């Protein structure tokens, strides 16, 4: 299955490690450090031209990619849930 995360970008649901709300997740210093390190390694991608509301951590072939999305984490999770029903 695939999940549309915004701006025509789709990802495989099997590759999703987690979907996180940007406002609540970045309160933690650990998360901010992780995102900063991922940016330095070139693992960040964006699926939005707007202010992102969430991010999804993906793995594929042992490579990690983080996608920022203008859609809320709740919306993304609901899309996944509706695909499996």
């Amino acid at each position: 299955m695939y999940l549309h995360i915004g701006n025509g970008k789709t990802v495989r649901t099997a590759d999703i490690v987690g979907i996180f709300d940007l406002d609540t997740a970045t309160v933690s210093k650990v998360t901010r450090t992780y995102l900063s390190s991922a940016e330095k390694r070139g693992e960040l991608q964006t699926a939005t031209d707007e202010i992102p509301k969430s991010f999804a951590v993906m793995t594929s072939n042992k490579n990690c990619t983080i996608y920022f999305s203008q859609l809320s984490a709740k919306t993304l999770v609901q899309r996944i849930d509706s695909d499996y029903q």
Side-chain angles (χ1 to χ4, degrees):
M1 297 264 204
Y2 290 88
L3 172 65
H4 177 261
I5 60 171
N7 271 3
K9 179 65 181 169
T10 57
V11 295
R12 285 178 15 126
T13 54
D15 294 342
I16 297 173
V17 174
I19 297 173
F20 305 91
D21 180 88
L22 201 54
D23 288 335
T24 58
T26 55
V27 170
S28 167
K29 183 179 180 186
V30 173
T31 305
R32 289 192 312 269
T33 302
Y34 172 71
L35 291 174
S36 177
S37 296
E39 181 178 24
K40 291 175 186 171
R41 291 188 304 268
E43 296 174 349
L44 294 184
Q45 300 291 322
T46 185
T48 181
D49 295 328
E50 302 173 22
I51 297 172
K53 294 181 182 176
S54 64
F55 64 96
V57 178
M58 317 285 295
T59 59
S60 179
N61 299 325
K62 298 186 181 182
N63 293 323
C64 181
T65 306
I66 300 168
Y67 289 98
F68 286 107
S69 174
Q70 80 268 17
L71 303 173
S72 71
K74 182 178 179 179
T75 298
L76 294 175
V77 170
Q78 286 175 340
R79 287 182 178 189
I80 292 171
D81 288 344
S82 69
D83 284 345
Y84 284 106
Q85 292 180 359

